[in-house]
């Protein structure tokens, strides 16, 4: 079946540190991959996405590359800020015919950035 | 452009009651999905509707039901509420890849 595994948190970093949050997946075919962010007290926001192998999604300084050979979609940012403190979710959308676009989620990784 | 809107934002119910949550998708989006997010966990898929038809159902009991209207808005109904139904209920609309989420409805069951 389809599943997403994220590194466990919480992750605590100092401002301007390098961030990596690991995400690996299991899926048949060619799923689409996503990173969502949930700031405290808010809903989920799409951070970035990649729809095929070797695609790189990027937004707000965050990047993730769709690696089919390692079934991974690790999230990276070169220099984190306090405002990046949030919970980050990796998700996949299975490759299905039709309009079934349900998302399968990792458990989330909490990031705290200290000044 | 307005994003996905949900109502109410917060709701308190007691065990055994029923609840109706509402969602309006982004204009032009025909697909609406519902998720349950228990505190500290990732969202769990409940339903997806596309063009008023159910296209997917997660592992939730029959107490949970939903429908989509001709204007693509949607309702999620939960009957015979249990304490374990307390969660953030998220609605997402979709044009294609990825989904755009509303702010959610925080349901507390006492």
């Amino acid at each position: 079946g389809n599943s997403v595994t994220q590194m466990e948190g919480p992750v605590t970093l100092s401002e301007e540190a390098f961030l990596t949050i690991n995400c690996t997946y299991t899926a048949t075919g060619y799923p689409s991959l996503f990173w969502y962010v949930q700031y405290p007290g808010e809903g989920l926001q799409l951070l970035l996405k990649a729809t095929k192998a070797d695609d790189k999604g990027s937004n707000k300084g965050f990047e993730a590359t769709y690696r089919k050979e390692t079934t991974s979609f690790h999230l990276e940012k070169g220099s984190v800020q306090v405002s990046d403190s949030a919970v980050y979710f990796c998700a996949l959308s299975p490759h299905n015919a039709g309009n079934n676009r349900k998302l399968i989620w990792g458990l989330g990784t909490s990031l705290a950035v200290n000044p | 452009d307005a994003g996905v809107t949900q109502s109410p934002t917060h709701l308190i119910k007691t065990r055994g009651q029923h609840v109706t949550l509402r969602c309006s998708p982004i204009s032009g989006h025909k697909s609406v999905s519902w998720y349950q997010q228990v505190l500290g966990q990732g969202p769990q898929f409940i339903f997806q509707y596309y063009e008023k038809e159910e296209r997917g159902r997660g592992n939730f009991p029959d107490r949970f039901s939903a429908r989509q209207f001709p204007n693509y808005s949607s309702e999620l109904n939960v009957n015979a509420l249990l304490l374990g139904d307390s969660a953030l209920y998220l609605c997402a609309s979709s044009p294609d890849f990825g989904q755009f989420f509303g702010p959610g409805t925080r349901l507390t069951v006492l």
Side-chain angles (χ1 to χ4, degrees):
Chain A
N2 299 304
S3 66
V4 174
T5 303
Q6 284 182 243
M7 64 184 285
E8 291 187 20
V11 173
T12 303
L13 296 173
S14 298
E15 210 165 19
E16 299 183 2
F18 184 86
L19 169 71
T20 299
I21 300 178
N22 290 337
C23 171
T24 57
Y25 67 90
T26 301
T28 55
Y30 298 89
S32 297
L33 301 173
F34 307 88
W35 277 100
Y36 280 81
V37 58
Q38 189 170 33
Y39 297 103
E42 298 185 15
L44 287 157
Q45 299 178 28
L46 177 64
L47 182 60
L48 53 84
K49 67 182 181 186
T51 59
K52 61 182 187 295
D54 299 326
D55 266 2
K56 177 185 283 188
S58 61
N59 186 25
K60 300 181 181 180
F62 291 89
E63 292 183 340
T65 301
Y66 188 144
R67 301 285 188 201
K68 184 141 184 80
E69 63 276 14
T70 54
T71 61
S72 65
F73 193 55
H74 304 322
L75 182 68
E76 297 182 337
K77 187 175 185 182
S79 176
V80 293
Q81 305 300 311
V82 173
S83 58
D84 294 326
S85 299
V87 180
Y88 292 82
F89 291 94
C90 184
L92 72 81
S93 179
H95 177 73
N96 289 332
N99 294 292
N100 184 358
R101 298 293 187 187
K102 76 176 185 179
L103 287 168
I104 296 172
W105 298 81
L107 293 179
T109 302
S110 176
L111 170 66
V113 180
N114 297 319
Chain B
D1 287 341
V4 178
T5 58
Q6 291 185 244
S7 62
T9 54
H10 294 85
L11 201 53
I12 299 175
K13 292 285 189 179
T14 56
R15 283 178 296 175
Q17 288 188 309
H18 77 273
V19 67
T20 298
L21 310 181
R22 295 179 174 81
C23 171
S24 292
I26 293 171
S27 177
H29 289 189
K30 299 180 180 179
S31 176
V32 169
S33 298
W34 287 95
Y35 293 82
Q36 181 195 66
Q37 186 179 20
V38 174
L39 194 63
Q41 297 183 19
Q44 296 294 314
F45 172 73
I46 309 176
F47 288 109
Q48 188 208 11
Y49 277 78
Y50 180 82
E51 290 276 16
K52 296 173 288 181
E53 290 188 6
E54 182 183 302
R55 293 301 183 97
R57 173 184 285 254
N59 188 25
F60 280 81
D62 292 342
R63 299 185 295 108
F64 288 76
S65 64
R67 55 180 176 168
Q68 187 177 32
F69 298 99
N71 66 354
Y72 304 115
S73 67
S74 178
E75 286 182 353
L76 175 70
N77 294 283
V78 187
N79 294 324
L81 285 167
L82 303 174
L83 295 179
D85 295 331
S86 295
L88 180 68
Y89 287 85
L90 296 165
C91 173
S93 75
S94 174
D96 190 9
F97 294 111
Q99 297 189 353
F100 297 88
F101 283 82
T105 294
R106 173 72 61 187
L107 172 65
T108 302
V109 182
L110 302 176

